Amino acid sequence: MFNSNQCTPKYFLLTGLPGLETVYPWFIFPFCCTYLVAIIGNSLILTVIKKNSSLHQPMYLFLAMLASAELGVSASTLPTVLGIFLFGTNEILFEACLLQMFSIHSFSIMESGVLLAMSVDRFVAIYNPLRYTTILTLPRIAGTGAALGMKSVVLMFPLPFLLKRLPFCGRNNLSHSYCLHSDLIQLPCGDTRPNSILGLCIVTSTFGLDSLLIVVSYVLILYTVLGITSGDGRRKALNTCVSHICAVLVYYVPMISVALVHRFMKHAVPAVRLLLANVYLLVPPVLNPIIYSVKTKQIRQGLIQLILQRKY
């Protein structure tokens, strides 16, 4: 199981929901439906935006980036989560675990960055609507997407190599149904300070900074909206932000909830904490396509047209 020269495990053992193994069959249908909704929903959003030239505008292009990031998160966790609940397979090769960790965190970082870009997009649209499309041009949007993708890869790139150099000394049991950096650095018996410091820097410079800047963006949006004299104009301006506000809440509330449970409910049933951890990564990819389909008229109409085209 271990390479004798480096104490490197050949595989890790993932954890499903401890104590609930006998009821795993009851989880198969909800988990399969959840992944199906996430993958189909985000794929439809991408297809609608691609096929409708009228949707090739900043707001919808950023939405396409968000859907792509959420597809990446779903695809990263799907093999091991469904492997555990469908087939009872809880082993993952060492290299595959590092790749999954890299993918999950990279797409999550990108998702957070896109939500920040969308908040800036809403501020520009409300603050200076006449110059909206001249400020957020297609090259700038493409550059923003490329920068967010590059940032995610560059920040995460060192972590797998830092982990690979460490001795694990016979420990290979993970506490989730997928590989996370915060989980993996608990196992080595060597010096994990570089990993911990880099991990903290990544969290602070991405999720921490992004959430702070999103709040600042909405403070500026609210200040701008209050300056609109027409009540109807204020309502219309705020209405354009509803979908994005929901997306931000759907992303950050589960994340904060998981952090609070780990911090203040350490003695809670492990299955509860692990179920919340799965929900944290699964909820945004499932709910965001639904939110934007319901709240955004152009997306809703595009979906209806797409369905009717396929029907006939």
Side-chain angles (χ1 to χ4, degrees), residues 262-279:
H262 278 276
R263 176 67 179 84
F264 297 108
M265 297 178 64
K266 293 181 180 179
H267 301 294
V269 178
V272 173
R273 288 188 280 115
L274 293 174
L275 187 59
L276 282 174
N278 282 308
V279 167

Side-chain angles (χ1 to χ4, degrees), residues 68-70 72-73 76 98-114 148-160 179-181 202 206-207 251 281:
S68 299
E70 289 175 342
V73 172
S76 299
L98 294 183
L99 178 60
Q100 186 184 50
M101 177 204 74
F102 177 84
S103 299
I104 291 173
H105 289 305
S106 294
F107 283 116
S108 296
I109 290 170
M110 185 174 177
E111 190 176 354
S112 177
V114 172
L148 290 173
M150 184 66 69
K151 171 190 171 184
S152 304
V153 171
V154 169
L155 286 175
M156 284 303 302
F157 188 76
L159 291 181
C179 300
L180 296 176
H181 181 255
I202 291 172
T206 54
F207 305 111
Y251 183 78
L281 286 178

Side-chain angles (χ1 to χ4, degrees), residues 188-210:
C189 51
D191 183 11
T192 61
R193 281 178 297 178
N195 301 68
S196 299
I197 293 170
L198 181 57
L200 179 61
C201 290
I202 291 172
V203 170
T204 305
S205 63
T206 54
F207 305 111
L209 184 60
D210 290 348

